[in-house]
Structure formats: structure tokens, C-alpha cells
Amino acid sequence: MNILIENAETLEYLTDNGRWTKKPADGTSFPATHAAFTAAKNEPIGKFNIVRYFSDTGQFINMDHGSGKGTN
């Protein structure tokens, strides 16, 4: 199970190097939803989702949502 930051507009996942990917398996996994939410609030994105991703089944569960710093 992975806790990921999902860009709600592009449906991409934040990676370790600060880039975005369509592949959830390549996204940065956070230890808790609070840690992911705090990190997402500092990203230059608009709306985001915090999701749990189960790689063995490909299932997603939405855990939280919010807005980042926005894009300028």
C-alpha cells in the first residue's frame, strides 16, 4: 500500500524528484496521510488528492484533498 499525492487536474502522481508521472507505482509513497497532505500544500499545483494505492489490485482510495500553492 502506498500513500500518494495526485494532481486532481492531470491525474498524475508526484515522484521523488519533484516530477509528475502517470504511473502510480513511480509516485513517492508517504508514511502517513498527514505527511502527504503537508507536502502537497507546498507544491505548485492547484487541487490535489491524497490517495492510497494498492499495487497488487490497482485499487485507489481517496483519503483527503486540498489545494497547493497554485501555478504561477
PDB file of all heavy atoms in Angstrom, residues 4 6 13 24 51-54 57-62:
ATOM      1  N   LEU A   4      -0.068   8.413  -1.790  1.00  0.00           N
ATOM      2  CA  LEU A   4       0.445   9.254  -2.870  1.00  0.00           C
ATOM      3  C   LEU A   4      -0.252  10.604  -2.934  1.00  0.00           C
ATOM      4  O   LEU A   4      -1.395  10.741  -2.495  1.00  0.00           O
ATOM      5  CB  LEU A   4       0.231   8.549  -4.217  1.00  0.00           C
ATOM      6  CG  LEU A   4       0.727   7.119  -4.362  1.00  0.00           C
ATOM      7  CD1 LEU A   4       0.278   6.549  -5.704  1.00  0.00           C
ATOM      8  CD2 LEU A   4       2.228   7.051  -4.220  1.00  0.00           C
ATOM      9  N   GLU A   6      -1.819  13.032  -5.641  1.00  0.00           N
ATOM     10  CA  GLU A   6      -2.338  13.014  -7.011  1.00  0.00           C
ATOM     11  C   GLU A   6      -2.760  14.423  -7.402  1.00  0.00           C
ATOM     12  O   GLU A   6      -3.520  15.070  -6.682  1.00  0.00           O
ATOM     13  CB  GLU A   6      -3.539  12.079  -7.090  1.00  0.00           C
ATOM     14  CG  GLU A   6      -4.196  12.045  -8.454  1.00  0.00           C
ATOM     15  CD  GLU A   6      -5.487  11.267  -8.430  1.00  0.00           C
ATOM     16  OE1 GLU A   6      -6.396  11.641  -7.654  1.00  0.00           O
ATOM     17  OE2 GLU A   6      -5.588  10.292  -9.186  1.00  0.00           O
ATOM     18  N   TYR A  13       0.960  11.636 -10.473  1.00  0.00           N
ATOM     19  CA  TYR A  13       1.437  11.408  -9.121  1.00  0.00           C
ATOM     20  C   TYR A  13       2.823  12.011  -8.940  1.00  0.00           C
ATOM     21  O   TYR A  13       3.687  11.873  -9.813  1.00  0.00           O
ATOM     22  CB  TYR A  13       1.463   9.901  -8.814  1.00  0.00           C
ATOM     23  CG  TYR A  13       0.118   9.305  -9.108  1.00  0.00           C
ATOM     24  CD1 TYR A  13      -0.149   8.736 -10.351  1.00  0.00           C
ATOM     25  CD2 TYR A  13      -0.914   9.395  -8.186  1.00  0.00           C
ATOM     26  CE1 TYR A  13      -1.405   8.252 -10.659  1.00  0.00           C
ATOM     27  CE2 TYR A  13      -2.177   8.902  -8.481  1.00  0.00           C
ATOM     28  CZ  TYR A  13      -2.411   8.345  -9.718  1.00  0.00           C
ATOM     29  OH  TYR A  13      -3.673   7.886 -10.024  1.00  0.00           O
ATOM     30  N   PRO A  24       1.282   5.230 -11.006  1.00  0.00           N
ATOM     31  CA  PRO A  24       1.246   5.339  -9.550  1.00  0.00           C
ATOM     32  C   PRO A  24       2.387   4.588  -8.858  1.00  0.00           C
ATOM     33  O   PRO A  24       2.849   5.009  -7.801  1.00  0.00           O
ATOM     34  CB  PRO A  24      -0.115   4.760  -9.171  1.00  0.00           C
ATOM     35  CG  PRO A  24      -0.622   4.065 -10.366  1.00  0.00           C
ATOM     36  CD  PRO A  24       0.069   4.624 -11.553  1.00  0.00           C
ATOM     37  N   VAL A  51      -4.203   9.884  -1.990  1.00  0.00           N
ATOM     38  CA  VAL A  51      -4.810   8.588  -2.284  1.00  0.00           C
ATOM     39  C   VAL A  51      -3.962   7.451  -1.722  1.00  0.00           C
ATOM     40  O   VAL A  51      -2.746   7.571  -1.608  1.00  0.00           O
ATOM     41  CB  VAL A  51      -5.017   8.377  -3.806  1.00  0.00           C
ATOM     42  CG1 VAL A  51      -5.949   9.415  -4.385  1.00  0.00           C
ATOM     43  CG2 VAL A  51      -3.701   8.387  -4.556  1.00  0.00           C
ATOM     44  N   ARG A  52      -4.639   6.385  -1.366  1.00  0.00           N
ATOM     45  CA  ARG A  52      -3.959   5.134  -1.055  1.00  0.00           C
ATOM     46  C   ARG A  52      -4.034   4.283  -2.308  1.00  0.00           C
ATOM     47  O   ARG A  52      -5.099   4.138  -2.907  1.00  0.00           O
ATOM     48  CB  ARG A  52      -4.618   4.410   0.105  1.00  0.00           C
ATOM     49  CG  ARG A  52      -4.232   5.002   1.422  1.00  0.00           C
ATOM     50  CD  ARG A  52      -4.549   4.076   2.549  1.00  0.00           C
ATOM     51  NE  ARG A  52      -4.083   4.694   3.786  1.00  0.00           N
ATOM     52  CZ  ARG A  52      -4.333   4.230   4.976  1.00  0.00           C
ATOM     53  NH1 ARG A  52      -5.060   3.149   5.123  1.00  0.00           N
ATOM     54  NH2 ARG A  52      -3.860   4.836   6.038  1.00  0.00           N
ATOM     55  N   TYR A  53      -2.900   3.738  -2.680  1.00  0.00           N
ATOM     56  CA  TYR A  53      -2.822   2.913  -3.879  1.00  0.00           C
ATOM     57  C   TYR A  53      -2.348   1.517  -3.480  1.00  0.00           C
ATOM     58  O   TYR A  53      -1.333   1.362  -2.814  1.00  0.00           O
ATOM     59  CB  TYR A  53      -1.845   3.532  -4.882  1.00  0.00           C
ATOM     60  CG  TYR A  53      -1.541   2.654  -6.060  1.00  0.00           C
ATOM     61  CD1 TYR A  53      -2.529   2.326  -6.976  1.00  0.00           C
ATOM     62  CD2 TYR A  53      -0.268   2.154  -6.273  1.00  0.00           C
ATOM     63  CE1 TYR A  53      -2.257   1.515  -8.065  1.00  0.00           C
ATOM     64  CE2 TYR A  53       0.024   1.348  -7.353  1.00  0.00           C
ATOM     65  CZ  TYR A  53      -0.974   1.027  -8.244  1.00  0.00           C
ATOM     66  OH  TYR A  53      -0.704   0.224  -9.323  1.00  0.00           O
ATOM     67  N   PHE A  54      -3.114   0.527  -3.883  1.00  0.00           N
ATOM     68  CA  PHE A  54      -2.786  -0.872  -3.628  1.00  0.00           C
ATOM     69  C   PHE A  54      -2.263  -1.466  -4.931  1.00  0.00           C
ATOM     70  O   PHE A  54      -3.040  -1.735  -5.859  1.00  0.00           O
ATOM     71  CB  PHE A  54      -4.017  -1.628  -3.131  1.00  0.00           C
ATOM     72  CG  PHE A  54      -4.537  -1.083  -1.826  1.00  0.00           C
ATOM     73  CD1 PHE A  54      -5.437  -0.023  -1.812  1.00  0.00           C
ATOM     74  CD2 PHE A  54      -4.113  -1.616  -0.620  1.00  0.00           C
ATOM     75  CE1 PHE A  54      -5.912   0.485  -0.615  1.00  0.00           C
ATOM     76  CE2 PHE A  54      -4.585  -1.112   0.582  1.00  0.00           C
ATOM     77  CZ  PHE A  54      -5.486  -0.057   0.588  1.00  0.00           C
ATOM     78  N   THR A  57      -3.671  -4.852  -6.482  1.00  0.00           N
ATOM     79  CA  THR A  57      -5.001  -4.869  -7.106  1.00  0.00           C
ATOM     80  C   THR A  57      -5.246  -3.695  -8.042  1.00  0.00           C
ATOM     81  O   THR A  57      -6.224  -3.687  -8.778  1.00  0.00           O
ATOM     82  CB  THR A  57      -6.105  -4.844  -6.032  1.00  0.00           C
ATOM     83  OG1 THR A  57      -6.000  -3.623  -5.301  1.00  0.00           O
ATOM     84  CG2 THR A  57      -5.999  -6.033  -5.102  1.00  0.00           C
ATOM     85  N   GLY A  58      -4.360  -2.670  -7.981  1.00  0.00           N
ATOM     86  CA  GLY A  58      -4.558  -1.472  -8.792  1.00  0.00           C
ATOM     87  C   GLY A  58      -5.663  -0.574  -8.261  1.00  0.00           C
ATOM     88  O   GLY A  58      -6.127   0.323  -8.946  1.00  0.00           O
ATOM     89  N   GLN A  59      -6.081  -0.802  -7.026  1.00  0.00           N
ATOM     90  CA  GLN A  59      -7.186  -0.044  -6.434  1.00  0.00           C
ATOM     91  C   GLN A  59      -6.695   1.244  -5.775  1.00  0.00           C
ATOM     92  O   GLN A  59      -5.621   1.281  -5.174  1.00  0.00           O
ATOM     93  CB  GLN A  59      -7.880  -0.905  -5.384  1.00  0.00           C
ATOM     94  CG  GLN A  59      -9.054  -0.240  -4.721  1.00  0.00           C
ATOM     95  CD  GLN A  59      -9.684  -1.135  -3.651  1.00  0.00           C
ATOM     96  OE1 GLN A  59      -9.087  -2.090  -3.186  1.00  0.00           O
ATOM     97  NE2 GLN A  59     -10.894  -0.806  -3.285  1.00  0.00           N
ATOM     98  N   PHE A  60      -7.506   2.294  -5.892  1.00  0.00           N
ATOM     99  CA  PHE A  60      -7.249   3.575  -5.247  1.00  0.00           C
ATOM    100  C   PHE A  60      -8.349   3.868  -4.239  1.00  0.00           C
ATOM    101  O   PHE A  60      -9.511   3.566  -4.486  1.00  0.00           O
ATOM    102  CB  PHE A  60      -7.267   4.723  -6.269  1.00  0.00           C
ATOM    103  CG  PHE A  60      -6.137   4.696  -7.241  1.00  0.00           C
ATOM    104  CD1 PHE A  60      -6.264   4.048  -8.454  1.00  0.00           C
ATOM    105  CD2 PHE A  60      -4.944   5.334  -6.942  1.00  0.00           C
ATOM    106  CE1 PHE A  60      -5.228   4.038  -9.360  1.00  0.00           C
ATOM    107  CE2 PHE A  60      -3.902   5.326  -7.845  1.00  0.00           C
ATOM    108  CZ  PHE A  60      -4.037   4.679  -9.050  1.00  0.00           C
ATOM    109  N   ILE A  61      -7.980   4.503  -3.132  1.00  0.00           N
ATOM    110  CA  ILE A  61      -8.950   5.001  -2.164  1.00  0.00           C
ATOM    111  C   ILE A  61      -8.596   6.451  -1.882  1.00  0.00           C
ATOM    112  O   ILE A  61      -7.458   6.748  -1.482  1.00  0.00           O
ATOM    113  CB  ILE A  61      -8.933   4.186  -0.852  1.00  0.00           C
ATOM    114  CG1 ILE A  61      -9.315   2.737  -1.126  1.00  0.00           C
ATOM    115  CG2 ILE A  61      -9.860   4.811   0.174  1.00  0.00           C
ATOM    116  CD1 ILE A  61      -9.191   1.835   0.072  1.00  0.00           C
ATOM    117  N   ASN A  62      -9.533   7.353  -2.114  1.00  0.00           N
ATOM    118  CA  ASN A  62      -9.296   8.769  -1.817  1.00  0.00           C
ATOM    119  C   ASN A  62      -9.349   8.974  -0.308  1.00  0.00           C
ATOM    120  O   ASN A  62     -10.309   8.591   0.346  1.00  0.00           O
ATOM    121  CB  ASN A  62     -10.346   9.658  -2.496  1.00  0.00           C
ATOM    122  CG  ASN A  62     -10.118   9.760  -3.983  1.00  0.00           C
ATOM    123  OD1 ASN A  62      -8.994   9.743  -4.435  1.00  0.00           O
ATOM    124  ND2 ASN A  62     -11.175   9.856  -4.733  1.00  0.00           N
TER     125      ASN A  62
END
